């Protein structure tokens, strides 16, 4: 009775909710040493020591179908699941193609106009067809999947499903039966045919139809077939491509197929290392094409099927995507040789060991950079990029421009990897525009004036923390044709110096502007100010800062820049119609060959009218003629000489403000092994190795709970309660004494 009454008195003396806080404090003190696990661990405690690679994604992949997928965030998944015939050596530089499922890298044979076999060194203009014979390894099996499930008689049980059969099916895992089968040459041919499928709109169909014999006509054949096919009221739902032969891709036998292309096209080998040319079995296509599947989001875009080391087991783009080891993986070994310095860097410690090393990969959705950066520092993500917000915390730039990790990073044993991307970002001029476009001397000088005024070095310093190299042309370092330092200078925008190219003074730009007919930024004929337009889909605070900076660059010339912001679809429409004036664009290399960059100014590849990648709609007869000569040549002095001349032409005409090549900075914890930047390979996860025990040890060290606030809270609470209790007891004793008297 005394306790209950006293509690009521104390409660009146304490703030509301004191019982909850006291209970939590006591519980916290009780649990503090229960299992030794950090309280902030975002994963289940029993998985702490698992061989799991933890990473993140910020935007859900749109396409996981290899005929459609073309984005880097999609390649994170498709590269681990699908296996094209070739891949890039993980360690060697320059980049080298090696077999993946193929037995060897195919060597082209050439045919002349009468079908005769030509010598390997035959002139390009005599080669009518190139033939690639690809032999694949036997015994490679697909991941478990319902499309391969068989009944007791050996018939495929899930290819003729009724609405009743699908009544309890909501996700792929709801199918009770799965199966597998061997990879065959026919699966590769089937995928090549899918590039022309009228419902898929493959982004490389246009390019491939120029080379793969019969592919363009094949698309027309499939359009007709789609028009005649109906399934459950949906026109063209499924076309059995095995019933329609393609001259440029044919099955020779179970493990041998042949690709036939027009002329000489050595770059085809690079495409054979991309998921576009990975296998898709006919029965998988048929399985996903059944009525009712698309409505349940059970499609190849959502549930990929491959022979690679991993398979996608959870696809929840609002929370988590999970890849697990494919139990049917055919096996592969870590490289036994690499580039100079790799052995000393510990990159050959695992030479010859079986792949993959990691059992599971968990990607968690992180929309903001600060939370994922904090989780990386706590040890809950194994690797991380470096955002602008966290750059100063991670990186020190020395007086000579050298890049080092901060003491905080070094104390944690974090490693830094850097590489210049095989990418370029640039500002383009629409060469069809009546003001900034065209090939007159006045228009050219206007573009050069703007090119000098836009200070790329300043942009890289302010917005990229120095993570970029100003471009002198369109070929980044590491691509054949790139020329370093003053020898590769753009003489129209830069001047040579002892420390490399230096941007011309702004006075040169102002003089060029006057010579273009706009002295002090005014039309010499009308006296009106020159107003130019920059079209962009960029939005948000970061974009606003960059756009304000860009307007200031034009202010140097007294030229007014008007920002025309719009959504991405509208921006794309402007680019296709040629109504944009000045814009920003970028390109990531598909493969390490100069053709993959120089085609960005190839006239027949124009954005307007062709939907190509020449976004500036630039056209030069000499450049185009040289491109056609260069594109299929072997690397060597003759090819270099042509590239040098092409660069001279492009720099003179100035269809671009050449922009910059971004630098990749990536961090990895000390327990992550075999990390080497590979800008071409998209299947690098299988080479990563973890030391989970070390990870747990460091996570526990870095995330020890800070208990003194709890202890302090309990002590303060007790100090508050005790006087009240003593006062109450004294009051009770005094009352009892008075009553006794």
């Amino acid at each position: 009775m005394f306790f209950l009454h006293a509690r009521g008195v104390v409660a009146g003396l304490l703030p509301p909710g004191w019982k909850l806080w006291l209970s939590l404090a006591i519980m916290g003190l009780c649990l503090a040493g229960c299992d030794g696990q950090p309280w902030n661990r975002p994963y289940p405690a029993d998985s702490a020591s698992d061989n799991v690679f933890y990473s993140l994604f910020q935007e859900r992949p749109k396409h996981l179908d290899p005929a459609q997928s073309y984005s880097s965030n999609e390649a994170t998944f498709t590269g681990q699941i699908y296996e094209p015939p070739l891949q890039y050596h993980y360690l060697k530089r320059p980049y080298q193609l090696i077999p993946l499922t193929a037995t060897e890298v195919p060597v082209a044979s050439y045919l002349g106009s009468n079908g005769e076999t030509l010598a390997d060194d035959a002139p390009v203009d005599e080669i009518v067809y190139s033939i690639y014979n690809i032999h694949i390894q036997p015994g490679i099996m697909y991941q478990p999947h319902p499309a391969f499930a068989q009944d007791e008689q050996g018939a495929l049980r899930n290819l003729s499903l009724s609405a009743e059969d699908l009544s309890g099916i909501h996700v792929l895992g709801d199918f009770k039966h799965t199966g597998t089968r061997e990879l065959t040459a026919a699966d590769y041919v089937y995928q090549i045919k899918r590039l022309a499928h009228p419902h898929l709109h493959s982004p490389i169909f246009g390019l491939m139809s120029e080379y793969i014999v019969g592919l363009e006509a094949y698309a027309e054949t499939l359009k007709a077939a789609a028009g005649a096919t109906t399934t459950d009221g949906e026109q063209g739902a499924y076309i059995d491509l095995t019933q329609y032969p393609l001259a440029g891709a044919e099955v020779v036998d179970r493990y041998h197929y042949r690709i036939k292309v027009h002329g000489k096209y050595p770059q085809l080998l690079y495409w054979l290392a991309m998921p576009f040319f990975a296998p898709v079995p006919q029965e998988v296509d048929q399985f996903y094409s059944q009525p009712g599947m698309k409505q349940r989001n059970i499609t190849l875009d959502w549930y990929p099927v491959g022979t690679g080391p991993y398979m996608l087991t959870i696809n929840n783009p609002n929370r988590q995507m999970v890849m697990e080891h494919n139990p049917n993986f055919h096996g592969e070994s870590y490289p036994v040789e690499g580039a100079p310095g790799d052995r000393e860097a510990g990159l050959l410690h695992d030479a010859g060991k079986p792949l993959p090393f990691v059992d599971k990969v968990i990607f968690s959705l992180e929309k903001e950079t600060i939370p994922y950066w904090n989780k990386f520092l706590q040890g809950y993500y194994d690797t991380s990029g470096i955002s602008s917000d966290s750059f100063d915390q991670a990186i020190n730039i020395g007086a000579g421009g050298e890049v080092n990790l901060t003491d905080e990073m070094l104390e944690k044993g974090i490693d830094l990897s850097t590489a210049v991307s095989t990418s370029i970002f640039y500002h383009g001029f629409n060469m069809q525009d009546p003001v900034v476009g065209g090939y007159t001397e006045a228009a050219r000088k206007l573009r050069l004036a703007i090119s000098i005024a836009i200070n790329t070095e300043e942009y890289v310093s302010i917005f990229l923390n120095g993570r970029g190299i100003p471009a002198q042309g369109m070929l980044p370092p590491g691509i054949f044709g790139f020329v370093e330092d003053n020898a590769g200078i753009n003489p129209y925008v830069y001047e040579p110096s002892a420390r490399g190219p230096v941007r011309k003074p702004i006075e040169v730009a102002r003089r060029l502007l006057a010579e273009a007919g706009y002295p002090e930024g005014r039309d010499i004929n009308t006296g009106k100010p020159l107003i130019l337009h920059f079209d962009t889909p960029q939005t948000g605070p970061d974009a606003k800062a960059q756009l304000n900076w860009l307007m200031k660059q034009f202010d140097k010339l007294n030229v007014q820049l008007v920002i025309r912001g719009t959504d991405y679809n509208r921006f794309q429409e402007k680019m296709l119609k040629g109504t944009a004036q000045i814009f920003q664009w970028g390109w990531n290399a598909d493969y390490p060959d100069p053709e993959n960059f120089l085609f960005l100014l190839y006239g027949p590849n124009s954005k307007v009218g062709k939907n190509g990648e020449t976004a500036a709609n630039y056209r030069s007869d000499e450049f185009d003629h040289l491109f056609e000569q260069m594109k299929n040549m072997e690397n060597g002095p003759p090819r270099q000489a042509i590239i040098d001349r092409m660069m001279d032409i492009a720099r003179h005409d100035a269809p671009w403000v050449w922009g910059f090549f971004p630098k990749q900075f990536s961090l990895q914890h000390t327990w992550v092994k075999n990390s080497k930047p590979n800008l071409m390979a998209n299947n690098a996860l299988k080479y990563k190795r973890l030391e989970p025990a070390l990870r747990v040890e460091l996570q526990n060290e870095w995330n020890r709970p800070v208990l003194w606030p709890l202890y302090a809270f309990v002590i303060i609470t007790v100090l508050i309660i005790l006087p009240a209790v003593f006062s109450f007891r004294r009051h009770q004793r005094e009352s009892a004494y008075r009553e006794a008297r």
Side-chain angles (χ1 to χ4, degrees):
M1 188 69 176
F2 164 77
F3 172 77
L4 293 175
H5 186 69
R7 186 177 62 182
V9 172
V10 173
L13 298 174
L14 295 177
W18 70 273
K19 290 183 284 185
L20 174 62
W21 284 106
L22 181 59
S23 300
L24 290 175
I26 295 171
M27 288 175 60
L29 291 172
C30 294
L31 293 172
C34 286
D35 60 3
Q37 294 283 343
W39 297 358
N40 63 348
R41 185 185 298 281
Y43 311 111
D46 58 1
S47 68
S49 299
D50 290 352
N51 187 20
V52 177
F53 187 89
Y54 292 101
S55 189
L56 60 99
F57 68 100
Q58 294 180 293
E59 182 180 358
R60 91 161 188 84
K62 184 177 180 181
H63 293 296
L64 297 177
D65 182 335
Q68 298 176 282
S69 176
Y70 207 7
S71 297
S72 57
N73 68 317
E74 296 164 354
T76 300
F77 301 94
T78 58
Q80 327 312 320
I81 297 168
Y82 296 110
E83 290 191 307
L86 304 180
Q87 64 179 337
Y88 290 95
H89 195 286
Y90 181 56
L91 299 177
K92 287 186 177 180
R93 304 292 184 273
Y95 295 109
Q96 177 181 324
L97 287 170
I98 60 174
L100 180 50
T101 61
T103 58
E104 60 187 359
V105 177
V107 177
S109 58
Y110 305 118
L111 302 180
S113 57
N114 297 318
E116 73 278 14
T117 301
L118 302 176
D120 292 344
D121 59 352
V124 173
D125 57 2
E126 293 183 10
I127 298 174
V128 178
Y129 298 111
S130 298
I131 306 294
Y132 290 87
N133 287 286
I134 299 113
H135 299 265
I136 64 171
Q137 304 167 34
I140 297 175
M141 307 299 290
Y142 282 98
Q143 68 183 67
H145 193 272
F148 303 124
Q150 297 181 353
D151 60 20
E152 293 75 10
Q153 289 73 42
L156 295 172
R157 62 167 71 235
N158 290 325
L159 298 189
S160 300
L161 299 173
S162 64
E164 183 179 352
D165 295 329
L166 290 174
S167 59
I169 302 296
H170 305 287
V171 296
L172 192 69
D174 290 336
F175 285 94
K176 295 180 180 179
H177 302 94
T178 63
T180 185
R181 75 155 171 83
E182 187 183 31
L183 171 70
T184 67
D187 301 332
Y188 285 100
V189 171
Y190 196 88
Q191 167 63 4
I192 294 172
K193 293 177 176 179
R194 293 181 78 245
L195 300 178
H197 199 293
H199 299 151
L200 296 180
H201 309 291
S202 175
I204 69 164
F205 167 72
L207 177 63
M208 288 299 121
S209 63
E210 297 178 16
Y211 291 104
I212 297 177
V213 174
L215 190 65
E216 186 172 12
Y218 193 73
E220 296 302 318
T221 298
L222 295 186
K223 283 182 183 178
T229 304
T230 58
T231 303
D232 195 25
E234 183 181 351
Q235 197 170 37
Y238 172 63
I239 307 171
D240 184 359
L241 303 184
T242 62
Q243 303 302 308
Y244 301 90
L246 172 62
E250 59 176 328
V251 177
V252 179
D253 60 39
R254 185 172 180 83
Y255 306 113
H256 175 196
Y257 68 104
R258 180 179 295 134
I259 299 177
K260 185 178 183 181
V261 300
H262 292 289
K264 185 177 182 180
Y265 187 52
Q267 289 83 7
L268 181 69
L269 292 178
Y270 296 124
W271 288 104
L272 294 180
M274 298 178 68
F276 289 115
F277 285 83
V280 170
Q282 175 272 332
E283 54 263 57
V284 167
D285 188 23
Q286 184 177 350
F287 171 82
Y288 283 127
S289 299
Q290 295 177 92
M293 290 292 197
K294 188 173 182 179
Q295 290 84 340
R296 291 169 169 79
N297 214 17
I298 301 178
T299 67
L300 193 59
D301 249 358
W302 201 263
Y303 295 107
V305 185
T307 61
Y310 295 101
M311 56 185 188
L312 188 66
T313 54
I314 296 177
N315 187 350
N316 181 357
N318 296 317
R319 181 176 177 269
Q320 217 173 57
M321 298 182 72
V322 178
M323 291 191 298
E324 298 184 52
H325 178 244
N326 174 10
N328 299 335
F329 182 54
H330 53 89
E332 195 179 349
S333 299
Y334 190 86
V336 296
E337 56 184 355
D342 283 347
R343 187 172 300 279
E344 293 77 5
L347 289 167
L348 287 171
H349 177 79
D350 293 316
K353 293 182 180 179
L355 300 175
F357 293 115
V358 174
D359 296 330
K360 181 189 289 187
V361 186
I362 296 179
F363 297 90
S364 300
L365 177 64
E366 294 283 2
K367 294 184 178 181
E368 303 295 335
T369 59
I370 297 300
Y372 91 66
W373 173 249
N374 289 334
K375 289 176 186 176
F376 171 74
L377 294 181
Q378 293 164 343
Y380 297 130
Y381 286 131
D382 295 318
T383 61
S384 175
I386 307 176
S387 68
S388 297
D389 293 332
S390 55
F391 187 86
D392 291 339
Q393 186 179 0
I395 300 295
N396 279 330
I397 305 294
E402 64 275 10
V403 176
N404 299 295
L405 288 170
T406 60
D407 291 341
E408 179 184 354
M409 300 297 108
L410 293 173
E411 288 172 3
K412 287 179 173 287
I414 292 172
D415 295 320
L416 170 68
S417 298
T418 64
V420 179
S421 299
T422 49
S423 309
I424 186 170
F425 288 91
Y426 63 90
H427 290 93
F429 301 102
N430 179 10
M431 296 296 283
Q432 295 186 355
D433 184 80
V435 179
V436 300
Y439 302 89
T440 65
E441 192 66 6
R444 186 182 77 86
K445 288 183 176 181
L446 171 59
R447 294 192 295 269
L448 285 175
I450 295 171
S451 299
I452 295 171
I454 297 180
N455 192 327
T456 304
E457 291 81 0
E458 183 178 277
Y459 178 90
V460 169
S461 175
I462 294 174
F463 298 106
L464 301 177
N465 304 103
R467 289 175 287 180
I469 297 177
Q472 303 296 318
M474 64 180 68
L475 297 180
I479 299 296
F480 180 83
F482 172 79
V483 180
E484 290 186 290
D485 299 326
N486 290 330
I489 199 171
N490 178 355
Y492 301 96
V493 179
Y494 287 83
E495 296 174 345
S497 77
R499 53 191 176 89
V502 177
R503 183 173 296 273
K504 289 179 181 288
I506 193 64
E507 290 74 18
V508 176
R510 290 168 180 157
R511 188 187 73 239
L512 287 168
L513 186 67
E515 293 173 1
Y518 302 99
E520 298 298 322
R522 290 184 173 272
D523 190 307
I524 196 170
N525 297 315
T526 65
K528 293 182 179 180
L530 176 61
I531 300 175
L532 300 178
H533 298 89
F534 181 75
D535 291 276
T536 178
Q538 293 177 290
T539 58
D542 290 343
K544 183 178 180 180
Q546 294 179 26
L547 294 173
N548 287 338
W549 175 88
L550 185 62
M551 288 190 289
K552 290 179 181 178
Q553 307 306 297
F554 283 78
D555 286 344
K556 300 174 190 175
L557 302 174
N558 291 323
V559 173
Q560 182 181 349
L561 183 70
V562 176
I563 305 299
R564 297 194 296 202
T566 184
D567 61 60
Y568 188 69
N569 290 334
R570 175 64 180 146
F571 175 72
Q572 288 277 51
E573 184 181 345
K574 284 186 173 185
M575 296 298 293
L576 289 172
K577 292 182 177 180
T579 57
Q581 188 175 59
I582 305 173
F583 56 90
Q584 187 175 35
W585 210 258
W587 181 255
N588 295 319
D590 293 310
Y591 43 83
D593 189 89
E595 180 262 355
N596 196 233
F597 284 91
L598 293 169
F599 89 123
L600 298 174
L601 290 179
Y602 180 53
N605 198 31
S606 175
K607 179 68 69 176
V608 174
K610 300 289 186 180
N611 194 18
E613 296 298 339
T614 303
N617 303 306
Y618 173 70
R619 186 109 196 191
S620 164
D621 291 341
E622 184 182 3
F623 185 96
D624 293 347
H625 175 70
L626 292 172
F627 176 83
E628 289 162 1
Q629 281 184 263
M630 177 281 308
K631 66 177 182 177
N632 295 328
M633 294 176 67
E634 303 295 333
N635 290 340
R639 197 183 199 203
Q640 181 69 60
I642 293 177
I643 291 172
D644 290 343
R645 176 57 188 153
M646 294 174 70
M647 291 308 308
D648 288 342
I649 296 169
R651 289 165 177 154
H652 173 273
D653 290 347
W656 290 2
V657 177
W658 294 96
F660 63 93
F661 308 118
K663 286 183 180 178
Q664 287 188 355
F665 281 40
S666 60
L667 302 174
Q668 51 274 332
H669 284 292
T670 187
W671 57 76
V672 180
K673 305 302 179 184
N674 303 330
S675 289
K676 181 176 181 177
N678 190 314
L679 303 177
M680 289 293 109
N682 54 28
N683 60 349
L685 271 175
K686 62 187 176 184
Y687 303 105
K688 306 285 188 184
R689 181 171 60 82
L690 301 173
E691 294 182 354
L694 177 59
R695 178 170 62 189
V696 170
E697 178 185 338
L698 292 176
Q699 285 176 347
N700 291 343
E701 178 182 334
W702 297 340
N703 297 280
R704 289 195 182 110
V706 180
L707 297 179
W708 70 261
L710 285 175
Y711 290 123
F713 178 79
V714 172
I715 292 171
I716 291 171
T717 302
V718 170
L719 292 176
I720 292 174
I721 291 175
L722 285 178
V725 172
F726 292 150
S727 174
F728 178 77
R729 293 184 65 182
R730 185 172 60 252
H731 175 73
Q732 289 288 86
R733 286 196 299 269
E734 291 175 352
S735 297
Y737 178 75
R738 285 195 299 269
E739 291 176 0
R741 293 184 61 186

